[in-house]
Amino acid sequence: MTPGPASRREGVGVVRHYNLLVGAASFLDDVLAGLEAPQKAIPPKYFYDARGSQLFDAICALPEYYPTRTEMAITERHVDEIARLLGPDVQLVEFGSGSGVKTRLLVDRLEPSLYVPIEISPAVLREACGALAILFPWLNISAVVADFSRPIRLPEFVGIPVRRKAVYFPGSTVGNFTPEEAVGFLVGVREMVGPGGMLVIGVDLKKDKRMLEAAYDDAQGVTAEFNLNLLHRINRELGGDFQVKRFRHKAFYDEQKSRIEMHLESLYSQFAHVGGRRFDFRPGETIHTEISCKYSVEEFQRLAARARFHAEKVWTDPAGLFSVHLMIAV
Ligand code: AVI
């Protein structure tokens, strides 16, 4: 371990790119398997092609979609404390880094010795890293294209002083896993950071059903476009022939399961072809595209404890809409 400079800003960073997507199940295989199931379903990771990522950024700016601005406000307010608790010479791994806008605040204060964004869309990752390298020329970046809904083994990043590994997982993306899947994911995070490693994670909180449903079915129809883009993507990339106008976006809050569900609902009796196969739809039949689980602070802490994360600190906004947790791997 060599001591870092007083401020990393004096140095010049290096940007490296790694692709761990090789060998992953293909879009076509997942779509075919999903459309053959009794409840048709497509994994939400396929939302994020270039168009889907743009639409997601537009969702984050919608008046109804409170999570992004609320989480940003919490982070802005407590970023100094977060940076102090994480300490110096941190290897900061971010899951689902997207456009990288949320990261800037933390990178600026923390000055990590290495920043490792993990993102499924290579184009989005490349653009985000380009922008970060301009803003923070001193920052070492090892950018990883990978699907974090499956276990990931990161390469060893040598030659950079690291006192602690930390994972940053903002946006309540953990809510897109079922609680059981979330525990499995957190076990993987724990193995990645090792004992004493940290996790800073954004978690959306339970609240009024109307507010939740508005956030996932906005008045401008951006979330509807985001959801329907999956069918356009299948048509574009897999030669599918979905008549997208014959489907509608459907989002509702299931209070029993404490989760938003998003579906694409067939408006008519119809069929579509993908990969040479025909898929039939009854009127009202849906393709399940996403869940977004909501937790109380205590529920999430109990869930993380199952993956042996100790809840060190939690911050929420005054209205109790969203939470940011700092957790330590025990
Ligand atoms: C990325 N994820 C946390 C978003 C959410 O709120 O579950 C995705 C999203 N889907 C519709 N709107 C936003």
Side-chain angles (χ1 to χ4, degrees):
M1 197 156 60
T2 42
S7 168
R8 299 204 179 278
R9 290 165 206 277
E10 297 154 18
V12 176
V14 175
V15 183
R16 293 196 170 86
H17 286 268
Y18 300 81
N19 192 337
L20 307 185
L21 265 191
V22 189
S26 75
F27 183 28
L28 179 62
D29 292 342
D30 282 348
V31 167
L32 293 180
L35 293 182
E36 269 159 14
Q39 166 62 71
K40 295 180 171 70
I42 300 176
K45 64 186 175 192
Y46 293 114
F47 281 136
Y48 302 95
D49 65 345
R51 177 72 185 137
S53 300
Q54 261 174 10
L55 287 165
F56 180 65
D57 283 347
I59 287 174
C60 291
L62 287 170
E64 296 96 329
Y65 195 75
Y66 61 85
T68 309
R69 61 173 178 277
T70 311
E71 182 177 36
M72 280 302 284
I74 298 170
T75 310
E76 260 166 40
R77 199 154 171 199
H78 301 287
V79 69
D80 288 329
E81 192 181 355
I82 296 172
R84 186 176 56 71
L85 289 167
L86 291 178
D89 291 336
V90 170
Q91 175 181 307
L92 185 70
V93 178
E94 180 174 3
F95 284 88
S97 48
S99 60
V101 174
K102 285 179 194 150
T103 324
R104 292 178 190 172
L105 195 61
L106 188 56
V107 165
D108 186 41
R109 297 300 161 85
L110 183 64
E111 298 185 7
S113 54
L114 178 66
Y115 171 57
V116 185
I118 303 177
E119 170 55 47
I120 197 163
S121 164
V124 169
L125 184 63
R126 195 164 283 279
E127 202 177 313
C129 288
L132 274 179
I134 290 170
L135 274 172
F136 307 114
W138 47 268
L139 183 63
N140 291 307
I141 304 176
S142 288
V144 178
V145 177
D147 170 8
F148 64 79
S149 66
R150 293 154 183 270
I152 294 179
R153 180 181 282 269
L154 289 179
E156 277 300 319
F157 304 109
V158 289
I160 292 173
V162 173
R163 260 183 242 204
R164 167 175 281 143
K165 291 185 180 173
V167 160
Y168 185 41
F169 195 32
S172 200
T173 304
V174 71
N176 299 137
F177 294 126
T178 64
E180 284 312 308
E181 289 167 347
V183 172
F185 171 81
L186 292 177
V187 167
V189 170
R190 191 186 169 281
E191 279 161 13
M192 186 179 279
V193 296
M198 290 190 172
L199 167 66
V200 179
I201 185 165
V203 181
D204 196 12
L205 297 176
K206 288 178 172 172
K207 59 185 63 64
D208 176 61
K209 185 179 165 86
R210 277 163 309 177
M211 187 173 190
L212 280 166
E213 289 186 344
Y216 290 84
D217 194 7
D218 62 281
Q220 292 170 60
V222 183
T223 312
E225 222 183 310
F226 172 73
N227 199 5
L228 288 160
N229 179 56
L230 257 179
L231 300 183
H232 285 298
R233 184 174 180 194
I234 293 171
N235 288 350
R236 274 194 303 267
E237 292 182 27
L238 306 179
D241 61 1
F242 277 99
Q243 291 189 269
V244 181
K245 289 208 161 61
R246 297 168 69 91
F247 288 83
R248 79 168 183 107
H249 164 68
K250 185 173 169 187
F252 59 88
Y253 186 58
D254 180 332
E255 269 166 321
Q256 294 274 299
K257 293 183 176 156
S258 306
R259 70 188 200 186
I260 288 280
E261 286 195 10
M262 293 211 319
H263 293 251
L264 289 163
E265 184 183 41
S266 174
L267 295 171
Y268 308 96
S269 172
Q270 57 180 323
F271 56 83
H273 297 93
V274 187
R277 291 194 220 169
R278 171 179 152 156
F279 297 98
D280 293 295
F281 293 87
R282 299 181 305 275
E285 187 178 355
T286 69
I287 307 173
H288 189 189
T289 52
E290 189 178 59
I291 58 167
S292 199
C293 297
K294 310 301 169 187
Y295 294 95
S296 69
V297 164
E298 297 71 25
E299 278 169 349
F300 190 75
Q301 289 176 337
R302 277 200 296 274
L303 182 146
R306 290 172 59 197
R308 299 189 47 222
F309 271 105
H310 165 76
E312 178 70 13
K313 202 83 211 210
V314 60
W315 301 274
T316 59
D317 55 296
L321 300 179
F322 201 92
S323 58
V324 175
H325 300 247
L326 191 141
M327 303 186 144
I328 304 183
V330 288

